Amino acid sequence: QVLLVESGGGLVQAGGSLRLSCVAAGLTFSTKSMGWFRQAAGKEREFVSTITWRGTTVYADSVKGRFTISRDNAKNTIYLQMNSLKPEDTAVYYCASFTGDSYYLTNAYGFWGQGTQVTVSS
C-alpha cells in the first residue's frame, strides 16, 4: 500500500514563501522519481516539478527560478520550496510517484497524495 502525505500549505502574501513536504510510505522511495502537481479552482491539474531518483530536477516554466524541488531519501520525503509566490500560484498542491514515460503528464504518476492548499493573496 502506497501512501503519500503532503503538508506545509497555507495562506501567504504575494512575494512570500512556503515549503511543502511530502512523506512517502509503501514504495521503494530511493529509486522513484517524484513530482509535484497543482490544481487551481476551475483548472486542470498541471505539472510543477519532478525530481528523479538520481536528483535531476525538472520544472514547469511558470515556476522556474522561484520553486526548488528536493528530496531526502533517508526520510522518504520530497520538498517544494516556493519563493516569490504569486496569486496565480494559488492551488491545491499534490505530490506523486512517477510510474510512466513523461514527467510532465499527470497520467504518468501512479500514486498521489491528498493535496495541500496553497493560497497566495495579492
Side-chain angles (χ1 to χ4, degrees):
Q1 181 177 341
V2 175
L3 180 64
L4 305 176
V5 181
E6 303 97 332
S7 63
L11 176 64
V12 65
Q13 294 180 352
S17 298
L18 287 171
R19 189 180 76 157
L20 306 183
S21 300
C22 174
V23 180
L27 50 75
T28 308
F29 183 82
S30 63
T31 64
K32 295 289 186 179
S33 296
M34 302 291 295
W36 288 97
F37 285 72
R38 66 188 184 187
Q39 187 167 18
K43 297 183 179 180
E44 296 291 315
R45 191 169 298 185
E46 67 174 352
F47 171 79
V48 175
S49 184
T50 291
I51 184 166
T52 73
W53 70 275
R54 297 180 178 180
T56 302
T57 58
V58 182
Y59 297 93
D61 288 343
S62 59
V63 306
K64 286 180 181 177
R66 299 189 297 120
F67 291 10
T68 303
I69 191 170
S70 60
R71 67 190 298 154
D72 186 340
N73 288 344
K75 297 180 179 179
N76 277 18
T77 301
I78 62 166
Y79 304 94
L80 187 68
Q81 178 65 48
M82 305 186 295
N83 299 324
S84 301
L85 283 162
K86 304 174 181 179
E88 51 263 45
D89 296 318
T90 295
V92 177
Y93 283 71
Y94 300 88
C95 69
S97 176
F98 180 76
T99 57
D101 58 0
S102 174
Y103 294 130
Y104 300 93
L105 300 179
T106 301
N107 61 12
Y109 295 76
F111 303 99
W112 295 83
Q114 84 290 344
T116 185
Q117 177 71 48
V118 172
T119 302
V120 184
S121 62
S122 60

